Amino acid sequence: MEPNTKTLELEIEYEFDAPADALYRAWTEEEALRQWWRPMGNELVRLTNEIEPGGRVEYEFQTTEGAHAFTIRGTYKEVEPGRRLVYSWDWELPTNQPEDASFVLHVSFQEAGKGSRLQVRQEQFKSEETVQPHREGWEQGLQSLARYLEQNR
């Protein structure tokens, strides 16, 4: 019997009442990320973001009590500044590292009507069970991003 090599993906699209360049900056600049992105209630404490093909991206998070929560590391594969980013997205947790923790993100930023549209495709899920928690995380994060962009027009 051949092993199952099929991988799953998640696609999510969200429209914002802000121009695409503001959306791109909110996605890539440390100060903006600190204000809106709080996965699982954790705070971004350090960002390395070398936005060029082969460049590193690393997000370090801590709990509200100040303990290390997790790190997300990746490498940019494709970069079209202001328009599109493709990069690896590898979760590193201090304990109980999940098997399904390495992904590829495709993120596009587009003008849409009087605002913009963000499209995210997250690839390389190994099981259906891990897709839904990521979908919920993206939905919460993008709602927070929308509030941030609205407050910082």
Side-chain angles (χ1 to χ4, degrees):
M1 179 183 293
E2 292 184 31
N4 180 5
T5 56
K6 181 180 182 228
T7 61
L8 305 167
E9 61 184 48
L10 166 94
E11 291 188 44
I12 194 159
E13 187 173 295
Y14 203 98
E15 295 203 5
F16 297 90
D17 189 21
D21 62 331
L23 176 59
Y24 180 80
R25 285 191 311 273
W27 191 269
T28 58
E29 294 179 1
E30 184 170 4
E31 191 51 44
L33 284 163
R34 283 178 191 261
Q35 293 182 50
W36 70 265
W37 192 29
R38 297 186 184 279
M40 299 173 291
N42 295 288
E43 299 173 359
L44 179 67
V45 293
R46 189 177 56 79
L47 170 66
T48 301
N49 204 10
E50 302 164 349
I51 306 174
E52 60 186 34
R56 239 175 9 120
V57 59
E58 183 174 305
Y59 309 92
E60 185 178 325
F61 290 89
Q62 70 182 21
T63 66
T64 53
E65 293 80 32
H68 175 69
F70 58 89
T71 303
I72 300 171
R73 297 180 204 279
T75 303
Y76 284 102
K77 300 173 182 303
E78 298 176 36
V79 173
E80 293 177 47
R83 299 198 46 192
R84 185 169 186 265
L85 302 169
V86 178
Y87 50 106
S88 55
W89 181 262
D90 302 328
W91 288 74
E92 297 176 9
L93 293 118
T95 58
N96 300 325
Q97 180 68 19
E99 180 182 318
D100 203 356
S102 294
F103 307 96
V104 174
L105 286 185
H106 298 254
V107 185
S108 67
F109 310 85
Q110 305 163 354
E111 297 294 338
K114 294 181 180 179
S116 58
R117 177 181 304 117
L118 177 76
Q119 294 175 308
V120 177
R121 186 171 80 232
Q122 185 174 352
E123 299 177 335
Q124 299 183 346
F125 287 94
K126 295 181 179 112
S127 70
E128 290 281 352
E129 295 78 38
T130 56
V131 174
Q132 189 57 31
H134 282 261
R135 179 178 305 282
E136 291 168 5
W138 282 116
E139 289 171 357
Q140 291 171 359
L142 297 179
Q143 290 168 7
S144 179
L145 174 55
R147 286 189 298 273
Y148 167 81
L149 288 168
E150 187 176 303
Q151 293 167 357
N152 290 281
R153 282 194 236 189

